[in-house]
């Protein structure tokens, strides 16, 4: 079995770094999301230049999701369903709390259909940043199927990842008129290839091979080059379009450029983390990475249907750097609290299922 190029701690630090990029992206690059009274004139002028580069956090999480999947011993539908359920339980707990606040304090009203749709992130006035949940559900259900089609021939896997999957979902999109389904097809065409790219890198041990081919003996120079490469990839996103288009007769199909750039970004950032462990900073980023899911869920409260009362709390420090630190701290404490609750609920569910299985086996 191929060993992971990155250990668990390094992966957690990468996730922590991506979450900070996500928070900067959400907190400061969408001035139109701010309520009246919150203003940062200089940041507002600069936000168009930083918005798309900072959105690299999305494909980073896509890549990490697939990377962790590849090195799991179970790669079947049962495992996918279990992971989906675990994320949904955490999502539901946060959603129900935020929905209760919206209803009781602000008088918000949910329709039955709207509430059910938001339970699966199909409509998100409350969990505004959680479109990734529906994306996660779809790609986790597809991975066990695609795993049998992939990981046998490197060149075929590259063709499936870069061409067949994004073009396939764009072709499907041509035949649908439903806005939600069209949106899901777009998300799958744009981000799913990044998940599959990880499978290719993991299966063929490409990170290790890349490291052997370009490694320089001088550790300091290596670190400088990795840092520089990471920065270049983030900055270049402003100048490079999100997709490269292939035109066929009257149709054009987009190939997401993140398939090429994000693995290099992950490789560079991961090597910086592995070779430049900065004590407290490393520990802080690792802790954030471990709580990243619930911190991401928690951050929705500042921009959802409760933002009229919650945004002044987030932006109370006024200074952008202090706002970031304050937002991270609040969301981290939130994640710790809700993590305890969700872990206990999941533990109780597992105990109940184990008890049912035990009684069923006795009956047989």
């Amino acid at each position: 079995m191929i060993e992971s190029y990155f250990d668990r701690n390094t992966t957690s630090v990468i996730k922590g770094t991506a979450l900070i990029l996500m928070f900067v992206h959400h907190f400061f690059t969408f001035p139109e999301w701010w309520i009246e009274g919150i203003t940062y004139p200089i940041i507002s002028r600069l936000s168009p230049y930083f918005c798309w580069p900072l959105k690299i956090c999305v494909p980073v999480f896509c890549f990490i999701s697939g990377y962790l999947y590849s090195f799991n011993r179970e790669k079947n539908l049962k495992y996918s369903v279990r992971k989906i359920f675990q994320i949904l339980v955490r999502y539901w707990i946060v959603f129900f709390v935020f929905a209760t606040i919206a209803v009781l304090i602000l008088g918000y009203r949910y329709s039955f259909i709207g509430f059910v749709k938001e339970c699966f992130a199909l409509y998100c006035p409350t969990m505004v940043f959680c479109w990734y949940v529906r994306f996660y559900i779809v790609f986790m259900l597809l991975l066990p199927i695609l795993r049998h089609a992939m990981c046998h021939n490197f060149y075929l896997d590259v063709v499936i990842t870069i061409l067949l999957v994004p073009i396939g979902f764009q072709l499907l999109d041509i035949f649908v008129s439903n806005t939600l389904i069209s949106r899901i097809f777009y998300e799958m065409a744009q981000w799913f290839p990044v998940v599959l790219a990880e499978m290719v890198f993991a299966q063929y041990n490409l990170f290790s091979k890349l490291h052997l081919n370009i490694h320089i003996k001088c550790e300091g120079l290596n670190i400088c080059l990795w840092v520089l490469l990471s920065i270049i990839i983030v900055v270049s996103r402003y100048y490079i379009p999100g997709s490269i288009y292939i035109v066929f007769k009257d149709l054009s199909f987009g190939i997401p450029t993140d398939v090429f750039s994000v693995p290099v970004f992950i490789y560079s950032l991961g090597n910086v983390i592995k070779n430049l462990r900065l004590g407290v900073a490393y520990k802080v980023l690792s802790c954030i990475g471990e709580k990243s899911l619930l911190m991401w869920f928690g951050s929705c409260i500042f921009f959802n249907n409760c933002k009229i009362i919650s945004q002044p709390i987030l932006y109370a420090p006024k200074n952008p750097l202090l706002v970031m630190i304050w937002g991270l701290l609040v969301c981290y404490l939130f994640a710790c609290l809700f993590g305890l609750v969700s872990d206990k609920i999941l533990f109780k569910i597992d105990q109940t299922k184990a008890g049912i299985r035990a009684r069923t086996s006795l009956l047989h």
Side-chain angles (χ1 to χ4, degrees), residues 158-169:
V158 170
V159 170
I160 291 172
T161 299
I162 295 176
L163 294 177
L164 297 187
V165 166
I167 290 175
F169 279 107

Side-chain angles (χ1 to χ4, degrees), residues 55-346:
K55 199 171 181 177
I56 196 172
C57 59
V58 174
V60 167
F61 279 116
C62 291
F63 195 91
I64 293 296
S65 294
Y67 197 73
L68 295 176
Y69 177 89
S70 288
F71 289 101
N72 186 73
R73 291 183 179 180
E74 299 179 78
K75 297 184 181 69
N76 51 35
L77 187 60
K78 183 179 178 181
Y79 169 76
S80 290
V81 171
R82 185 168 72 250
K83 294 298 292 183
I84 289 168
F85 180 72
Q86 288 172 353
I87 280 191
L88 280 176
V89 166
R90 293 180 171 90
Y91 172 83
W92 288 333
I93 292 169
V94 178
F95 168 49
F96 293 162
V97 171
F98 287 177
T100 301
I101 294 172
V103 170
L104 295 182
I105 298 178
L106 295 172
Y108 188 84
R109 292 291 178 264
Y110 293 90
S111 67
F112 175 76
I113 296 298
F115 188 85
V116 172
K117 286 172 70 175
E118 187 152 17
C119 282
F120 298 94
L122 300 174
Y123 171 67
C124 300
T126 306
M127 304 300 287
V128 287
F129 302 137
C130 292
W131 64 268
Y132 192 91
V133 171
R134 65 172 178 257
F135 170 67
Y136 183 86
I137 292 170
V138 176
F139 85 66
M140 284 298 287
L141 292 175
L142 287 177
L143 281 180
I145 301 169
L146 276 173
R147 186 179 66 86
H148 293 290
M150 297 180 65
C151 302
H152 303 295
N153 179 282
F154 173 75
Y155 299 104
L156 177 60
D157 291 348
V158 170
V159 170
I160 291 172
T161 299
I162 295 176
L163 294 177
L164 297 187
V165 166
I167 290 175
F169 279 107
Q170 289 170 77
L171 281 172
L172 288 173
D173 190 29
I174 294 173
F175 300 101
V176 300
S177 57
N178 183 278
T179 304
L180 175 59
I181 295 174
S182 180
R183 183 67 189 176
I184 291 172
F185 284 159
Y186 165 78
E187 291 162 0
M188 294 301 295
Q190 184 68 33
W191 308 117
F192 191 40
V194 183
V195 178
L196 296 180
E198 175 286 325
M199 289 181 65
V200 175
F201 270 78
Q203 175 65 26
Y204 299 101
N205 205 19
L206 296 185
F207 281 135
S208 294
K209 292 174 181 177
L210 187 64
H211 188 73
L212 288 173
N213 287 331
I214 68 172
H215 186 68
I216 301 171
K217 290 184 178 180
C218 176
E219 184 176 334
L221 182 57
N222 268 321
I223 292 172
C224 290
L225 290 174
W226 288 325
V227 169
L228 181 62
L229 188 55
S230 300
I231 294 171
I232 288 173
I233 289 173
V234 173
V235 172
S236 68
R237 287 172 63 83
Y238 177 75
Y239 302 97
I240 298 174
S243 298
I244 300 170
Y245 286 92
I246 298 173
V247 179
F248 179 74
K249 294 186 177 179
D250 295 329
L251 300 174
S252 63
F253 301 99
I255 309 301
T257 52
D258 287 324
V259 169
F260 310 102
S261 61
V262 169
V264 180
F265 176 77
I266 294 282
Y267 170 77
S268 303
L269 179 60
N271 278 314
V272 172
I273 293 165
K274 287 170 68 175
N275 292 276
L276 192 66
R277 303 200 172 197
L278 297 176
V280 175
Y282 181 87
K283 181 64 177 176
V284 168
L285 287 170
S286 181
C287 289
I288 291 172
E290 289 171 3
K291 302 290 185 184
S292 58
L293 178 69
L294 284 170
M295 289 181 70
W296 155 42
F297 288 170
S299 68
C300 294
I301 192 70
F302 300 121
F303 298 90
N304 66 4
N305 44 16
C306 301
K307 70 179 182 179
I308 192 71
I309 60 172
S310 58
Q311 262 194 26
I313 298 172
L314 173 64
Y315 293 100
K318 306 297 183 183
N319 180 279
L321 178 59
L322 294 179
V323 168
M324 268 302 303
I325 295 171
W326 173 237
L328 286 167
L329 178 60
V330 170
C331 290
Y332 184 79
L333 294 175
F334 169 92
C336 290
L337 175 61
F338 277 71
L340 288 173
V341 175
S342 60
D343 287 346
K344 284 186 178 180
I345 291 174
L346 287 168

